[in-house]
Amino acid sequence: METGNNTDKIKKQQVIELTSFMMHKHYCENDVNTLVSFIEEPFIWFGAGEYEYDVGGQKVKNIFKQFSGKVPECNISGEEYHVISPENDVYICTGRMWITTAPSTNIYLRVHQRVTMVFRWKNNKFHCHHIHISNPYTEMAEDDVGFPSQMARQTSEYLKEQIAVQRKLIQEQTETLLRLSFEDSLTGLYNRNKFNQIMDEVSNAKSLEGHIGFAYFDLNGLKKVNDLHGHKAGDDLIFRSATHIRKVFDGKAFRIGGDEFVVIDRETDENTFRNSINSICQNMEKDGISISVGITWCSDCYNIMKEFEKADKLMYEEKRKFYNSNGRDRRTR
């Protein structure tokens, strides 16, 4: 049986092979359709061609399709790739290679290409969400392959003008990728990855200065909504619930499961925290949403996980009371 580390190594190797495959399809075969088949929303592209930057999978796919039949045949050599996985199922592959036009094209160009691609492993397949391609002007060759000097100077000047723009866009792309890795796509709340990061940070401290409040929310009756009205109605219920929480605790709330939300508050005092939670529950009730919640508050905590588990236990006690009072089995929740 494969271990987690072995599985990660295999996926990293697959990402390297996929990046190389896509580069060859584009530069050696000009097979645009295969290239865009790996693209999935949300997608960010940063190219070194006429279209420098764009966002939006379908629009970028259309731009890539304009390259069909226009990329001269090239040969790729000296490929080097490295892969990191900053989050579960997210892989960033950076690489470099020499791209040289084929002799039959009568175009003499050789560039040391840089590429960065970001993939997400989803539904047993890698999906590409980001491509960044650049040609460092300082490494463009003209002596050994006959690259015309005037063309080299023109290309170098053009790329020099783009350096400042590229740096800014790279920073924006990095910030976007980080946000996507920590954001729940349905609700806009932080996701389980971000929750685990925060819990690790506070758990690693010997003691937590100040205070911390936990609120563990769990929807009542989501399964019934899904069964009677479909999963779209269930998603709408989850979204509405998250909206109520986000209005009060924006930047402090996490969706950690299908119908489970957690608030971690280290800023407000205990009375304000508890009153805010009660206000959320009242507003949800007015909106026709039934939810169970467990609340804990701790000053100078020595065991953060214990406090979180306490909130979890209190939430399940509330849920048990709800289903007992309604004469329903909790399995229908």
Side-chain angles (χ1 to χ4, degrees), residues 32-57:
V32 176
N33 289 331
T34 296
L35 183 67
V36 300
S37 68
F38 291 97
I39 292 175
E40 181 173 289
E41 297 273 14
F43 182 82
I44 298 174
W45 173 62
F46 182 28
E50 179 181 357
Y51 296 93
E52 284 298 317
Y53 179 75
D54 214 319
V55 176

Side-chain angles (χ1 to χ4, degrees), residues 87-118:
E87 296 295 334
N88 290 337
D89 295 330
V90 175
Y91 296 86
I92 301 175
C93 182
T94 57
R96 61 183 180 179
M97 67 216 69
W98 283 103
I99 297 180
T100 309
T101 51
S104 60
T105 64
N106 292 321
I107 300 173
Y108 302 101
L109 174 63
R110 186 172 185 240
V111 294
H112 203 190
Q113 188 89 341
R114 299 290 201 274
V115 62
T116 299
M117 295 191 186
V118 178

Side-chain angles (χ1 to χ4, degrees), residues 6-241:
N6 286 337
T7 301
D8 188 58
K9 289 181 180 178
I10 291 172
K11 287 184 177 179
K12 286 181 178 179
Q13 182 59 38
Q14 290 174 339
V15 166
I16 289 175
E17 294 173 356
L18 180 55
T19 302
S20 177
F21 173 78
M22 292 175 69
M23 294 298 289
H24 279 77
K25 282 293 181 182
H26 181 59
Y27 285 102
C28 302
E29 302 178 30
N30 197 200
D31 186 353
V32 176
N33 289 331
T34 296
L35 183 67
V36 300
S37 68
F38 291 97
I39 292 175
E40 181 173 289
E41 297 273 14
F43 182 82
I44 298 174
W45 173 62
F46 182 28
E50 179 181 357
Y51 296 93
E52 284 298 317
Y53 179 75
D54 214 319
V55 176
Q58 188 56 49
K59 189 172 183 181
V60 172
K61 286 181 180 181
N62 292 336
I63 290 175
F64 273 116
K65 288 179 180 179
Q66 294 179 29
F67 295 150
S68 181
K70 297 181 180 179
V71 178
E73 182 183 354
C74 299
N75 297 317
I76 296 178
S77 60
E79 294 177 86
E80 297 179 23
Y81 298 102
H82 300 277
V83 179
I84 62 172
S85 179
E87 296 295 334
N88 290 337
D89 295 330
V90 175
Y91 296 86
I92 301 175
C93 182
T94 57
R96 61 183 180 179
M97 67 216 69
W98 283 103
I99 297 180
T100 309
T101 51
S104 60
T105 64
N106 292 321
I107 300 173
Y108 302 101
L109 174 63
R110 186 172 185 240
V111 294
H112 203 190
Q113 188 89 341
R114 299 290 201 274
V115 62
T116 299
M117 295 191 186
V118 178
F119 298 91
R120 185 185 295 274
W121 177 258
K122 181 180 178 182
N123 297 328
N124 294 319
K125 180 182 178 182
F126 283 108
H127 303 269
C128 184
H129 292 272
H130 169 75
I131 298 176
H132 174 205
I133 295 175
S134 63
N135 312 120
Y137 65 88
T138 57
E139 298 180 5
M140 300 186 75
E142 59 175 305
D143 52 349
D144 57 344
V145 292
F147 184 79
S149 298
Q150 183 179 359
M151 186 180 295
R153 287 194 298 269
Q154 290 175 346
T155 305
S156 296
E157 289 301 320
Y158 172 75
L159 290 171
K160 287 178 182 179
E161 293 173 359
Q162 297 300 316
I163 292 297
V165 176
Q166 292 175 6
R167 287 175 178 171
K168 180 180 179 182
L169 293 177
I170 290 172
Q171 181 180 358
E172 292 176 354
Q173 293 163 18
T174 301
E175 292 173 354
T176 300
L177 289 171
L178 287 174
R179 177 179 58 79
L180 291 174
S181 68
F182 286 139
E183 184 179 285
D184 176 62
S185 59
L186 175 62
T187 64
L189 299 179
Y190 285 131
N191 59 17
R192 184 88 193 199
N193 291 334
K194 184 66 172 181
F195 171 78
N196 290 338
Q197 181 192 65
I198 296 297
M199 290 296 289
D200 287 342
E201 289 175 358
V202 295
S203 296
N204 288 334
K206 292 182 179 180
S207 64
L208 185 67
E209 295 182 1
H211 53 257
I212 187 168
F214 284 101
Y216 199 135
F217 296 85
D218 193 302
L219 286 170
N220 298 322
L222 177 63
K223 184 178 185 302
K224 182 178 180 181
V225 171
N226 285 332
D227 291 344
L228 293 179
H229 305 289
H231 287 278
K232 188 176 185 301
D235 287 347
D236 178 68
L237 178 61
I238 292 171
F239 177 79
R240 285 162 47 212
S241 303

